[in-house]
Amino acid sequence: MDEVLLMIPGPTTVHPRVLNAMSKAVINHRSAKYGELLTETSELMSDLFKTQNQSYLLTGSGTAAMEAAISNVLNPGEKILNVVGGKFGERFMKIAEAHGISCDELAVEWGTAVTPEAIKEALDNDEDIKAISIVHNETSTGVAAPIEKIGKVMKDYDALYIVDTVSSLAGDDVDVDKYGIDVCITGSQKCIAAPPGMSAITLSDDAWKCAENVDSNGFYLDMKAYRKSGDKNPPETPYTPSVSLTYALNEALKMIQEEGVQNRIDRHHKAAKASVEAVKALGLELFADEKVSSTTVTAVKMPEGITDKEFRGTTRDKYGVELAGGQDHLKGNIFRIGHMGNISYKELLQTFGAIGMTLKEFGVIDDAGAGVSSITKSYC
Ligand SMILES: *Cc1c(COP(=O)(O)O)cnc(C)c1O
């Protein structure tokens, strides 16, 4: 089988240990054995979020957790401030709109990050804002927002702090309790490197207080139901969870623990820095403002002389490296390198080799090895 190396911002390559965990016998989800698996996996998730609060597992991709984060804490008509600097910020706003929540958009130019000052100003100008939503790592643009600094601002306001860490948790610094995040969510298939299909959410006491006052929080993603089932002995989920994916997520989280969360984050920082340097060495231009560029995905402007189809088609079909394209108005204008999950210099050498050879083949650059050479310098 021709394996294609996934260098996209999710799903990421899943380790054989995690794949094997998924092939365990499917057990009764209302049994002591599943209760143990659920408890352990939720605890590992809370450790990763760095929170004392309970984490809940949802069977559903990251977007399910995004929806749960919004729909459980706000009533229709209540106001949310949505920070929108890319596709996922936009998604939070669309979800809120779909639930009849009143949305204020804080628009940020794609490729740049929101500032804590802009958040402060927006909150000062409107006392009715009940919550803000922000995407830590805007995967569509390769930008990381300053969620720690924004957390400091949020401490002066009652508004809930809702953060999407789908493409950053386990790949960049996230400290839910220290940053004062009220609702934090993530997905299985990005930096955690489990297969897609599961997500997680954690809520602070303040968020739960808001949830108590919401009576239209939907059905499948009603977090009160998850809390009630989770409090049973043995703990359960309200509806049948993906037992196999829970095994996979559990194993992936154990692998993260074995590596050490900080080591893993450092590895992502190193890969991001090496990628940025290699992009420059190839004479290509970064899309995102380098000061706020992501630790897990690097967005690059598509050079003149090659189309997106030619470029990504060749890296994939000829060199076995799958890269991501741009979304919306960035389609065809940028490509994105996902360096999240289990990747290190080996994968980056292959990736930048593929990029260099493809660009040389199309006459865009002369030195096909400049990126690879740069990667070697970053790692030795
Ligand atoms: C991938 C991603 C999501 C969730 O997308 P799903 O396809 O539903 O898993 C949400 N937010 C961000 C920032 C993401 O990168």
Side-chain angles (χ1 to χ4, degrees):
M1 190 178 87
D2 278 340
E3 291 252 3
V4 172
L5 175 64
L6 291 178
M7 294 300 285
I8 56 176
T12 55
T13 303
V14 179
H15 193 277
R17 252 178 76 180
V18 176
L19 290 174
N20 284 338
M22 254 197 317
S23 66
K24 284 185 188 168
V26 172
I27 55 171
N28 179 3
H29 64 293
R30 309 217 182 275
S31 64
K33 197 167 173 192
Y34 188 77
E36 265 171 48
L37 176 66
L38 182 62
T39 302
E40 188 183 63
T41 312
S42 310
E43 282 173 8
L44 286 166
M45 197 49 91
S46 286
D47 288 348
L48 195 55
F49 276 130
K50 297 206 172 111
T51 182
Q52 298 296 318
N53 296 317
Q54 172 80 33
S55 295
Y56 294 90
L57 306 183
L58 306 172
T59 295
S61 74
T63 306
M66 289 178 86
E67 180 151 14
I70 300 282
S71 64
N72 280 279
V73 295
L74 292 151
N75 274 304
E78 286 185 325
K79 196 181 272 182
I80 186 169
L81 178 72
N82 303 109
V83 178
V84 180
K87 199 75 193 155
F88 293 100
E90 212 169 74
R91 187 172 298 177
F92 252 155
M93 192 159 91
K94 283 186 182 160
I95 290 169
E97 280 168 351
H99 285 271
I101 293 157
S102 161
C103 296
D104 258 5
E105 179 178 356
L106 175 49
V108 179
E109 193 192 337
W110 289 34
T112 69
V114 69
T115 61
E117 293 75 28
I119 304 263
K120 186 172 165 31
E121 193 184 319
L123 290 168
D124 283 339
N125 286 340
D126 192 344
E127 287 178 358
D128 289 339
I129 295 169
K130 287 274 183 332
I132 77 159
S133 75
I134 183 161
V135 174
H136 179 202
N137 188 76
E138 184 43 87
T139 321
S140 63
T141 62
V143 165
I147 57 167
E148 180 171 14
K149 289 191 183 126
I150 294 168
K152 285 192 182 131
V153 168
M154 294 303 294
K155 282 184 180 152
D156 294 334
Y157 300 86
D158 287 336
L160 290 182
Y161 187 23
I162 303 173
V163 184
D164 168 335
T165 63
V166 176
S167 64
S168 56
L169 191 74
D172 198 357
D173 299 308
V174 176
D175 193 326
V176 168
D177 288 352
K178 186 172 156 208
Y179 302 173
I181 297 172
D182 291 296
V183 185
C184 197
I185 59 140
T186 200
S188 56
Q189 81 275 27
K190 310 262 168 115
C191 308
I192 294 173
M198 279 209 126
S199 50
I201 182 169
T202 184
L203 296 95
S204 69
D205 290 344
D206 286 346
W208 277 116
K209 264 182 224 142
C210 290
E212 304 296 343
N213 296 322
V214 173
D215 32 39
S216 60
N217 32 15
F219 192 87
Y220 187 68
L221 297 172
D222 178 357
M223 292 314 300
K224 285 178 224 164
Y226 283 79
R227 185 171 63 177
K228 193 167 168 213
S229 299
D231 286 344
K232 285 185 186 165
N233 190 12
E236 295 177 0
T237 52
Y239 322 109
T240 315
S242 172
V243 173
S244 308
L245 282 175
T246 317
Y247 275 125
L249 186 59
N250 182 277
E251 191 67 19
L253 291 170
K254 279 187 182 144
M255 287 186 70
I256 292 173
Q257 212 181 36
E258 285 166 25
E259 180 178 8
V261 178
Q262 198 53 53
N263 292 337
R264 190 179 181 88
I265 292 169
D266 292 346
R267 176 165 62 69
H268 280 80
H269 274 275
K270 191 161 184 179
K273 197 155 180 286
S275 298
V276 163
E277 292 307 319
V279 164
K280 289 185 190 163
L282 282 166
L284 303 177
E285 225 182 306
L286 296 163
F287 173 71
D289 175 0
E290 207 184 320
K291 289 192 290 296
V292 292
S293 68
S294 157
T295 61
T296 65
V297 55
T298 296
V300 186
K301 290 185 186 163
M302 190 65 75
E304 299 274 327
I306 190 165
T307 65
D308 179 49
K309 194 161 178 260
E310 288 166 340
F311 176 67
R312 289 191 302 120
T314 306
T315 63
R316 180 186 58 237
D317 298 337
K318 192 163 176 187
Y319 299 111
V321 177
E322 180 94 34
L323 297 167
Q327 293 164 294
D328 281 359
H329 64 276
L330 296 178
K331 206 172 161 96
N333 298 326
I334 64 166
F335 67 90
R336 292 171 300 147
I337 308 164
H339 33 76
M340 53 179 80
N342 297 318
I343 74 115
S344 183
Y345 59 90
K346 234 181 11 185
E347 292 78 12
L348 291 178
L349 287 171
Q350 188 181 342
T351 301
F352 280 93
I355 294 173
M357 285 192 279
T358 300
L359 293 179
K360 164 102 179 162
E361 189 174 316
F362 282 85
V364 178
I365 57 168
D366 294 326
D367 182 2
V372 170
S373 171
S374 172
I375 294 293
T376 63
K377 283 183 202 125
S378 294
Y379 281 92
C380 65

